[in-house]
């Protein structure tokens, strides 16, 4: 949370926080604004969701806090790379297409490559559902297969992943 607050503060100084708030509305539709609040040696990001007082984003749920961390990492690593381990954790499957579309959009805006690991069939189906064919051109699926005693990466373009998912083939 402290690192997220620092990242948010950096974006806030440059007036680039509106897109962050919009993305979080996928999970918290009542979110009106975000702000960094410092208390002693700690700073946290608080959100206005229409209650009498602002609340820490961490109190809005694990999924909201996780999405905020990912979006802030992307926005503060322009022309860089963001690694996300087990991207599916913390979100209801029904939100995955919107979340993945938002992550893709932010990655395009900030020219940031995303490398995400998953064992989830749902995340791959949601990705194919969320993105247009043109957007899917940005996606590569890398499967790690064991051949004898060695692990070999096999790269599949998005159309191959889409075809495998349509046919119900194992992609994990």
């Amino acid at each position: 949370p402290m690192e997220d607050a620092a990242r948010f503060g950096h974006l806030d100084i440059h007036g680039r926080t509106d897109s962050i708030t919009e993305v979080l509305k996928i999970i918290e539709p009542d979110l009106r604004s975000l702000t960094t609040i410092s208390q002693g040696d700690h700073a946290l990001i608080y959100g206005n969701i229409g209650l009498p007082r602002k609340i820490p984003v961490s109190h809005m749920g694990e999924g909201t806090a996780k999405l905020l961390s990912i979006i802030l990492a992307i926005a503060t690593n322009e022309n860089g790379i963001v690694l996300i381990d087990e991207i599916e954790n913390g979100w209801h499957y029904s939100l995955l297409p919107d979340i993945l579309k938002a992550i893709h959009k932010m990655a395009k805006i900030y020219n940031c490559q995303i490398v995400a690991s998953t064992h989830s069939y749902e995340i791959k189906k949601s990705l194919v559902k969320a993105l247009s064919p043109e957007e899917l051109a940005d996606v590569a699926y890398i499967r790690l297969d064991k051949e004898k005693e060695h692990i070999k990466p096999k790269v599949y373009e998005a159309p191959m992943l889409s075809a495998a998912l349509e046919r119900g083939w194992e992609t994990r």
Side-chain angles (χ1 to χ4, degrees):
M2 290 284 292
E3 186 174 333
D4 285 346
R7 287 178 172 168
F8 185 81
H10 173 77
L11 293 172
D12 199 13
I13 288 169
H14 298 287
R16 299 185 328 180
T17 60
D18 290 345
S19 61
I20 307 296
T21 305
E22 287 305 309
V23 169
L24 290 184
K25 286 182 179 182
I26 294 168
I27 299 175
E28 182 49 69
D30 294 329
L31 183 64
R32 297 175 184 170
S33 64
L34 294 168
T35 188
T36 303
I37 297 177
S38 204
Q39 294 181 333
D41 293 340
H42 300 300
L44 294 175
I45 302 171
Y46 281 69
N48 176 352
I49 58 170
L51 297 174
R53 59 180 272 177
K54 295 177 181 182
I55 64 169
V57 170
S58 60
H59 292 183
M60 294 180 197
E62 179 185 336
T64 304
K66 178 179 179 175
L67 183 56
L68 176 61
S69 289
I70 289 170
I71 297 303
L72 289 172
I74 292 168
T76 56
N77 282 290
E78 192 165 5
N79 301 316
I81 298 173
V82 171
L83 308 175
I84 307 168
D85 189 30
E86 297 189 10
I87 191 170
E88 71 279 0
N89 289 344
W91 299 314
H92 192 268
Y93 74 92
S94 64
L95 296 175
L96 291 176
D98 291 335
I99 289 169
L100 295 172
K101 186 159 188 71
I103 290 171
H104 177 267
K105 179 181 176 182
M106 295 298 283
K108 289 292 277 187
I109 289 169
Y110 291 98
N111 191 36
C112 184
Q113 183 177 9
I114 307 298
V115 178
S117 71
T118 187
H119 292 96
S120 169
Y121 183 78
E122 289 77 20
I123 203 88
K124 291 176 263 181
K125 272 194 87 103
S126 294
L127 183 66
V128 169
K129 178 182 176 182
L131 301 182
S132 70
E134 294 79 24
E135 292 168 328
L136 276 172
D138 297 330
V139 175
Y141 168 65
I142 302 170
R143 179 180 165 143
L144 301 177
D145 289 332
K146 187 172 184 180
E147 293 180 5
K148 297 184 182 179
E149 298 298 318
H150 302 285
I151 303 295
K152 300 275 184 171
K154 294 197 177 177
V155 180
Y156 299 93
E157 299 298 322
M160 294 173 72
L161 175 61
S162 297
L165 293 170
E166 286 173 13
R167 290 174 177 83
W169 294 351
E170 177 59 49
T171 60
R172 291 179 267 197

